[in-house]
Amino acid sequence: MKAWFALLALLLVSACARAPLEPRADRAARDFYAAVEAGDWARVEAALAPELARTAQGRAGFQRLRAALPRGGAREARAVGWSRAGEGGLQAVHLYRFAHSDVVVRTTLRPHGGNLRVASFVAQRQPLGQVEANRFTFAGKTPRHYSFLATALLSPLIMVAVAAMAAMARGLRFKLAWMALALVGVGEAWFNWTTGEGGFSFAALSLVNVGFGRDTDISPWLIRFSLPAGALLVLARLATLKERRLA
């Protein structure tokens, strides 16, 4: 059973693989971090967006940020994610690994004059081991983890199976409508694979809603799915039809 879970998880992880960060944005974000780390304020100001460049507040903020960065140089640096930002820009996320801690850097880049300029720059230190703890693994997981994953995988299968039953049901009028109803999910359950925390929101209505992903390559995996309420209604309708045929 555990092997089947591992195979399904591998397929889901592969399906959620994101496109790599474009080289120009990767280089711009890395160069900016290097300038901040070195205290090269001329390079920092030259790379900033016009609304941020050459302000006393901005320079003081970068000085405080630089003072909080680990010393000694990173032993590893790599892009771990990115997302679209406003005004045609993007936010690049990089991981810098040091001897005693990790630093996650989020750099928002926007096009200006043919170049990418830095619109925001946030660096957050993380304890060692946090990146590894967020990997998708079955080591040390509880029955709650397995039950939630199994339910998330079963939910869309139930929806599709009931829709197929509606399509083949004899005497069922408005089949297309009943088939569509079978695919409707109500609410959304979510589960953090790293921490084991979860929750449920009733304020959601969707079609075959199941999700498995994370914001960056170092974030916790989140599993989401909706309850197959529409499928239950269709099953009730099919049961009524069967009773009438047998009557």
Side-chain angles (χ1 to χ4, degrees):
M1 179 63 69
K2 192 171 181 179
W4 282 106
F5 275 125
L7 177 59
L8 289 171
L10 178 61
L11 293 174
L12 288 171
V13 170
S14 300
C16 295
R18 68 182 77 244
L21 177 64
E22 60 181 79
R24 186 169 74 123
D26 181 50
R27 184 170 58 254
R30 288 173 182 262
D31 288 348
F32 189 78
Y33 178 89
V36 173
E37 186 179 41
D40 189 341
W41 306 119
R43 286 173 57 197
V44 168
E45 292 178 341
L48 288 173
E51 63 271 19
L52 298 179
R54 297 179 176 85
T55 63
Q57 296 87 349
R59 180 162 182 168
F62 282 115
Q63 287 175 333
R64 289 193 299 271
L65 189 151
R66 177 175 181 263
L69 293 176
R71 295 289 180 256
R75 57 186 173 88
E76 178 187 351
R78 59 187 173 93
V80 294
W82 66 277
S83 60
R84 293 294 177 189
E87 302 179 21
L90 59 82
Q91 183 185 80
V93 185
H94 286 77
L95 172 68
Y96 293 82
R97 313 208 75 174
F98 295 83
H100 302 292
S101 66
D102 296 331
V103 176
V104 178
V105 179
R106 299 177 185 272
T107 310
T108 302
L109 302 165
R110 292 199 180 102
H112 180 80
N115 297 314
L116 291 176
R117 296 292 186 90
V118 176
S120 71
F121 180 83
V122 179
Q124 181 182 14
R125 294 183 71 161
Q126 289 188 347
L128 287 178
Q130 185 62 50
V131 172
E132 286 73 17
N134 288 340
R135 292 174 179 169
F136 191 90
T137 175
F138 291 102
K141 302 307 178 185
T142 66
R144 187 184 182 195
H145 287 77
Y146 292 110
S147 61
F148 193 95
L149 179 60
T151 306
L153 295 173
L154 284 174
S155 178
L157 295 179
I158 292 173
M159 294 179 183
V160 173
V162 173
M165 292 171 61
M168 295 182 293
R170 291 182 300 167
L172 180 65
R173 300 178 61 189
F174 310 111
K175 281 190 176 182
L176 289 179
W178 287 106
M179 291 170 62
L181 179 60
L183 302 178
V184 174
V186 175
E188 183 178 74
W190 62 270
F191 188 80
N192 185 314
W193 192 255
T194 298
T195 65
E197 297 175 336
F200 185 83
S201 171
F202 286 97
L205 195 66
S206 56
L207 290 176
V208 197
N209 177 28
V210 59
F212 183 88
R214 53 183 179 173
D215 295 334
T216 70
D217 293 346
I218 57 174
S219 302
W221 285 96
L222 294 179
I223 305 173
R224 298 183 176 90
F225 73 94
S226 59
L227 298 179
L232 296 179
L233 293 175
V234 175
L235 284 176
R237 175 58 178 161
L238 295 179
T240 301
L241 282 178
K242 185 176 181 181
E243 290 177 356
R244 290 179 178 177
R245 288 198 301 268
L246 296 177

